[in-house]
Amino acid sequence: MKEELGNMKMTFRWYGEGNDPISLKQIKQIPGMTGLMGLLDRPAGVEWTEEEIRPYIEHVHEAGLECEVIESVNVHEDIKLGLPSREEYIDNYIKTIRNLAKYGVKVIVYNFMPVFDWLRTDLARVIPEDGSNSLYFDEKELGEMTPLDLVRKTAEDSKGFTLPGWEPERLAELETTLKLYEGVTGDDLRANYKYFLDAIIPVCEEVGIGMACHPDDPAWPIFGLPRIAHSQDDYDKICALHESPANGLCLCTGSLGSNPDNDIPAIIRHFGEKNRINAMHVRNVKYLGHHKFREAAHLSSTGDLDLFEIMKAIYDTCPDTYIRPDHGRMIWDETGRPGYGLYDRALGATYINGLWEAIDKMSK
Ligand code: DNO
């Protein structure tokens, strides 16, 4: 966790040299950008060694950027399922935490979603108003697809880019993994989660790392799998599994906000006041019907979330957090990783910084 208060840090997600068409130089040129939510392309369950971490972090520093947040260190399915083999994977997770801390990492973003991370039914739905495109979800379309169909479609639509949460090794064993989840309830998943947190959080406290659990996206159960992180109540339970500021959230406004029942500014205030927000993903969504939405530009008036109220809640209750402008639309003929182009995320960062400056000056 960061030590200084009242000093939000704007960061950018980057997929690494050769894996991201966006360069560190371009990221550095976005006004107010302090660093990355960075990642190493490692499969879930392995130790990230110092030999791998050191050159990566040095390379980011050479570009004039910080790397105090890693997104994500993925949690192996055996940990979520509570299988005996979890011991080895938890050991590796702990070694990774220790190794990352040695190189200045303060926050690790991760999730505890079974099998799938985020889900969409279209990665490039054209927005009729302006001809740009963005990620889109319609549960009716999902209803006709099996999990395997969805994986195939997502891979086809991803334009050759690996998508976060859709790493090939995770999906190779999809059918077997889905079978293992049969009969696993939300309470079972929470019990396995507690086992994991009880093992890692004391280490995080010792080395000064805050864990940041990302919400289910979309914010409701999918394919009958247990999902336990899509409401304030869910997160209250997660926080109670291991009481510590190191057991915190990555509050993603667009993921939680996919469900209009979630009052995002109120949820930020609730957990910000408890010192449990270790990272923020800020973006907007446009509701199109029941369990149907598309991602919008960050500007409040283009979607259904109030970004001013969101930034005000952050400013008032967790002003020291790390923020990244989350998914953007594809605009200006950019081609790239769906959700993770340069232009719209840079516009998003600038808008968020503008809101922050205004709130800060108005508050003084
Ligand atoms: C999607 C991302 C998620 C997030 C993970 C964190 O675009 O926000 O994949 O990185 O859930 O582990």
Side-chain angles (χ1 to χ4, degrees):
M1 289 152 285
K2 258 184 333 104
E3 277 148 27
E4 71 273 29
L5 276 174
N7 190 18
M8 172 273 279
K9 285 196 174 181
M10 182 62 72
T11 61
F12 207 74
R13 191 170 206 187
W14 184 65
Y15 290 89
E17 231 41 272
N19 194 19
D20 199 321
I22 300 164
S23 67
L24 288 177
K25 183 175 170 201
Q26 288 170 319
I27 296 173
K28 176 71 186 165
Q29 289 172 354
I30 301 169
M33 198 51 71
T34 66
L36 301 183
M37 292 205 184
L39 89 155
L40 267 71
D41 191 13
R42 307 292 289 120
V46 302
E47 174 191 351
W48 297 19
T49 64
E50 287 193 52
E51 291 64 38
E52 292 159 337
I53 295 167
R54 187 184 313 109
Y56 174 82
I57 302 260
E58 280 173 3
H59 182 60
V60 176
H61 287 172
E62 277 158 20
L65 292 161
E66 297 173 345
C67 190
E68 296 185 347
V69 186
I70 291 290
E71 176 181 355
S72 309
V73 181
N74 287 322
V75 178
H76 196 278
E77 291 299 330
D78 291 10
I79 297 179
K80 299 180 214 165
L81 284 158
L83 301 180
S85 43
R86 69 179 156 180
E87 301 304 337
E88 178 195 339
Y89 297 124
I90 292 176
D91 278 355
N92 286 344
Y93 210 100
I94 288 174
K95 286 180 193 149
T96 301
I97 291 170
R98 289 193 184 282
N99 292 343
L100 287 171
K102 284 186 201 155
Y103 294 90
V105 171
K106 311 269 186 231
V107 169
I108 295 175
V109 180
Y110 72 109
N111 70 78
F112 215 77
M113 287 178 249
V115 193
F116 298 106
D117 188 332
W118 56 275
L119 288 169
R120 296 290 183 271
T121 53
D122 192 343
L123 301 182
R125 178 63 56 121
V126 173
I127 301 174
E129 289 84 352
D130 63 9
S132 64
N133 69 68
S134 70
L135 282 76
Y136 168 96
F137 184 87
D138 180 358
E139 191 157 80
K140 284 206 192 88
E141 290 178 13
L142 191 65
E144 291 141 28
M145 286 186 231
T146 64
L148 273 176
D149 292 337
L150 185 69
V151 167
R152 261 184 234 115
K153 180 170 164 30
T154 306
E156 274 163 28
D157 292 352
S158 69
K159 303 182 191 147
F161 292 105
T162 43
L163 294 171
W166 293 84
E167 295 82 5
E169 70 278 352
R170 182 204 290 244
L171 300 172
E173 296 183 18
L174 185 67
E175 275 175 298
T176 325
T177 317
L178 283 167
K179 277 228 148 12
L180 289 171
Y181 274 103
E182 280 173 16
V184 175
T185 65
D187 283 341
D188 297 333
L189 191 61
R190 259 186 296 272
N192 298 337
Y193 196 178
K194 179 171 169 50
Y195 189 91
F196 172 65
L197 290 173
D198 288 347
I200 65 160
I201 295 298
V203 180
C204 293
E205 288 168 344
E206 181 196 324
V207 300
I209 280 201
M211 296 299 294
C213 174
H214 189 277
D216 301 332
D217 181 4
W220 51 80
I222 299 278
F223 290 133
L225 289 162
R227 298 195 354 141
I228 54 170
H230 48 265
S231 65
Q232 179 169 313
D233 188 44
D234 282 351
Y235 270 115
D236 276 333
K237 288 184 187 146
I238 290 171
C239 288
L241 292 177
H242 193 112
E243 291 293 354
S244 163
N247 174 24
L249 288 64
C250 170
L251 204 152
C252 175
T253 62
S255 304
L256 284 176
S258 60
N259 183 347
D261 294 342
N262 282 330
D263 177 342
I264 306 301
I267 297 178
I268 294 171
R269 286 179 187 279
H270 178 79
F271 292 105
E273 277 159 10
K274 293 180 194 297
N275 195 19
R276 288 301 185 99
I277 296 184
N278 286 336
M280 287 284 323
H281 289 173
V282 176
R283 66 179 163 89
N284 203 348
V285 283
K286 177 90 186 151
Y287 303 129
L288 302 171
H290 180 67
H291 287 186
K292 183 173 172 182
F293 62 89
R294 68 166 167 77
E295 298 185 357
H298 290 76
L299 185 71
S300 301
S301 58
T302 63
D304 285 304
L305 300 185
D306 187 329
L307 273 277
F308 170 79
E309 288 299 338
I310 284 172
M311 294 313 297
K312 183 84 172 60
I314 298 172
Y315 186 90
D316 289 343
T317 66
C318 51
D320 60 329
T321 198
Y322 296 91
I323 297 186
R324 73 171 171 83
D326 202 7
H327 305 175
R329 302 159 302 146
M330 279 298 163
I331 60 171
W332 303 340
D333 299 326
E334 183 177 14
T335 51
R337 186 175 264 104
Y340 287 97
L342 172 64
Y343 303 143
D344 207 34
R345 285 192 296 155
L347 289 176
T350 301
Y351 170 60
I352 293 166
N353 274 327
L355 288 173
W356 189 268
E357 180 180 337
I359 293 166
D360 190 43
K361 288 191 172 154
M362 298 286 287
S363 312
K364 285 177 179 156

